[in-house]
Amino acid sequence: MFQSILFDLDGTLTDAAPGITNSVKYALSKFGIDETDDKKLRKFLGPPLISSFMEFYGFSKEKAQKAVEYYREYFVPHGIFENEVYSGIPKLLQKLKADGKTLIIATSKPETFAVQIAEHFEIDSYFDLIAGSNLDNTRSKKAQVIEYALKTLGILDRAHAVMIGDREHDIKGAKKTGLRSIGVLYGYASPGELENAGADFTANSPEELYTIISSN
């Protein structure tokens, strides 16, 4: 059975889209870009910010780093809580904790922000560890965060650990670190994204997540 359960944050535990897209719009405006295409903005939901600014807007690494600074100007006072926990998540966490599972948040979001969000929505007490990236944008790739979380908690048995996320980066990070994965279909993935990335399971809801976790 799965014993160590790693969760992505944005798009898996919470719907953080408004806060993230508003922060991206603010950052782009600092470079004279008035982005009104929500589809382009939603591409930022999931991947590390620096790589997203570089990939989607052709920014150099230095320019992307500056964009992240601008992003945080909006995100820290406003965007961080333009967010809500998905229905069914608190009950899922409660049941998994009662089953004796080790619960972990593994996110590319800076760890300090992930902790604030979990505390704000009162789900922090369910987790044995909240792991994220560093503010200097190191440890931002999902595989790096997963490795850090497993090492911190001394988890050696990867056969009984699973990564749960809503984007291909979560699935690929799991594969790279030798974990199985569950893709959640209620998050930000495009149709077929999770399946094409090689998710071992997919779930349409927190209720389905519990069924998969408790039967594997």
Side-chain angles (χ1 to χ4, degrees):
M1 272 195 173
F2 290 133
Q3 178 57 38
S4 301
I5 319 298
L6 292 81
F7 288 91
D8 177 45
L9 181 58
D10 300 336
T12 302
L13 297 174
T14 71
D15 181 3
I20 293 173
T21 56
N22 287 339
S23 299
V24 172
K25 285 181 72 172
Y26 175 87
L28 291 173
S29 72
K30 294 291 188 176
F31 297 94
I33 301 172
D34 180 20
E35 184 57 76
T36 58
D37 187 343
D38 285 343
K39 286 185 177 180
K40 291 188 72 172
L41 293 169
R42 288 183 69 85
K43 290 181 179 180
F44 282 80
L45 303 173
L49 284 170
I50 282 186
S51 60
S52 293
F53 280 115
M54 293 172 68
E55 180 180 354
F56 305 137
Y57 288 90
F59 285 12
S60 66
K61 186 173 182 179
E62 293 73 22
K63 190 174 180 180
Q65 288 173 331
K66 190 63 179 178
V68 171
E69 292 178 18
Y70 288 136
Y71 173 99
R72 290 176 182 164
E73 282 185 8
Y74 181 92
F75 185 79
V76 172
H78 306 294
I80 190 170
F81 299 131
E82 292 175 347
N83 195 353
E84 64 179 352
V85 176
Y86 285 115
S87 175
I89 287 296
K91 185 176 181 180
L92 169 67
L93 298 176
Q94 184 179 30
K95 290 170 71 175
L96 291 174
K97 202 65 181 175
D99 290 345
K101 307 296 186 185
T102 297
L103 303 185
I104 302 161
I105 289 177
T107 175
S108 293
K109 184 185 291 297
E111 189 170 297
T112 183
F113 298 156
V115 170
Q116 288 180 59
I117 291 166
E119 290 177 347
H120 177 77
F121 291 113
E122 299 181 346
I123 59 172
D124 57 305
S125 62
Y126 295 111
F127 294 97
D128 296 86
L129 178 69
I130 297 176
S133 63
N134 296 312
L135 282 171
D136 64 0
N137 300 305
T138 56
R139 201 173 69 216
S140 62
K141 295 185 182 302
K142 187 51 63 86
Q144 295 172 329
V145 177
I146 293 172
E147 287 288 0
Y148 164 72
L150 296 176
K151 183 177 180 180
T152 299
L153 291 179
I155 297 170
L156 302 176
D157 183 5
R158 300 190 182 207
H160 294 94
V162 64
M163 178 70 214
I164 301 171
D166 71 300
R167 296 299 310 273
E168 63 179 350
H169 312 85
D170 302 304
I171 308 307
K172 292 177 178 178
K175 285 185 175 298
K176 193 168 185 178
T177 53
L179 304 190
R180 284 185 285 173
S181 60
I182 305 173
V184 297
L185 301 175
Y186 56 79
Y188 307 140
S190 303
E193 176 181 331
L194 297 168
E195 294 86 346
N196 292 337
D200 294 288
F201 309 91
T202 57
N204 286 293
S205 66
E207 292 75 21
E208 283 191 22
L209 266 178
Y210 183 74
T211 299
I212 293 169
I213 292 167
S214 59
S215 60
N216 285 276

